[in-house]
């Protein structure tokens, strides 16, 4: 979903990247700033029930997530360090989003669905960490695991659309159902990656 926008985002952000580089802003600074903004919005606005504001802030920084990469390429600084930093900080952002939702369901919601919501948000948090770990571990062993029905961009877009809808008045159970579907999709993705690596490992034996 969002991955398909990368080409358009690169063209859009090239002038912005050039302007920031001229002012001495580094790609790493942009990466860190975006992560701090996402974490702050998720852990402050979601628990307070400001779902629409949180969703818009996080979506903005998610859409500009490729800006640091464009800057690095324009400056000739592309390399493993930038990729490592970006991927690592993405985990902070993802964890903050679902942690913020857990806090809302535990402390801010008086719905009968709150227990389900907190449990499913926690499941999404845990499974969302396992999905990229499975791929990274496979690649560390010389194999590939870039498969699955729930890539990070798709999971992020889905939860942000759901939270934004709740922010404009859609009933809370809709978010709970979406979290349930995301948890299932994330689990299926983990299984797909495990089976993919297993086939490669057995084939190389």
């Amino acid at each position: 979903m969002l991955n398909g926008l990368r080409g358009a985002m690169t063209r859009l952000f090239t002038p912005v990247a050039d302007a920031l580089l001229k002012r001495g802003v580094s790609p790493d600074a942009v990466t860190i700033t975006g992560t701090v903004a996402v974490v702050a919005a998720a852990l402050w606005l979601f628990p307070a029930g400001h779902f629409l504001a949180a969703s818009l802030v996080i979506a903005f920084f998610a859409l500009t997530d490729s800006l640091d990469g464009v800057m690095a390429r324009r400056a000739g600084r592309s390399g493993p360090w930038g990729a490592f930093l970006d991927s690592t900080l993405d985990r902070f952002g993802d964890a903050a989003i679902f942690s913020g939702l857990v806090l809302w369901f535990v402390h801010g919601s008086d719905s009968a669905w709150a227990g389900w919501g907190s449990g499913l948000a926690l499941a999404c948090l845990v499974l969302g960490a396992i999905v990229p770990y499975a791929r990274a571990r496979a690649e560390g062993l010389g194999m590939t695991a870039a498969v699955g029905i729930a890539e990070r961009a798709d999971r992020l877009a889905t939860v942000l659309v759901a939270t934004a809808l709740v922010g404009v008045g859609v009933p809370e159970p809709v978010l709970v159902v979406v979290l349930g579907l995301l948890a299932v999709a994330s689990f299926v993705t983990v299984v797909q990656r495990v089976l993919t690596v297993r086939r490669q490992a057995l084939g190389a034996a």
Side-chain angles (χ1 to χ4, degrees), residues 51 161-175 178:
F51 277 25
V161 168
T163 52
L165 289 174
V166 172
V168 297
V170 171
E172 188 178 306
V174 171
L175 175 59
V178 168

Side-chain angles (χ1 to χ4, degrees), residues 20 30 40 64 107 114 116-117 121 133 136 150 156 176 191:
L20 290 173
V30 172
T64 60
H107 298 293
W116 281 101
Y133 174 80
L156 185 60
V176 176
V191 172

Side-chain angles (χ1 to χ4, degrees), residues 89-179:
L89 294 186
D90 280 348
R91 306 288 79 77
F92 280 96
D94 294 352
I97 291 169
F98 291 106
S99 295
L101 292 175
V102 170
L103 291 173
W104 158 252
F105 282 115
V106 171
H107 298 293
S109 174
D110 56 3
S111 168
W113 292 74
W116 281 101
S118 59
L120 290 170
L122 182 60
C124 289
L125 191 161
V126 173
L127 290 166
I130 297 174
V131 168
Y133 174 80
R135 177 174 175 174
R137 183 59 176 152
E139 292 174 350
L141 294 171
M143 293 177 280
T144 60
V147 297
I149 62 172
E151 294 288 344
R152 176 181 182 264
D154 299 323
R155 298 196 308 272
L156 185 60
T158 302
V159 73
L160 291 180
V161 168
T163 52
L165 289 174
V166 172
V168 297
V170 171
E172 188 178 306
V174 171
L175 175 59
V176 176
V177 171
V178 168
L179 289 172

Side-chain angles (χ1 to χ4, degrees), residues 11-58:
R11 292 190 294 273
L12 177 65
F13 291 140
T14 295
V16 179
D18 291 340
L20 290 173
L21 289 169
K22 287 180 181 178
R23 287 166 175 74
V25 179
S26 71
D28 289 353
V30 172
T31 303
I32 294 169
T33 300
T35 300
V36 170
V38 168
V39 170
L43 295 182
W44 174 41
L45 295 175
F46 275 145
H50 302 305
F51 277 25
L52 181 60
S55 301
L56 292 175
V57 171
I58 295 169

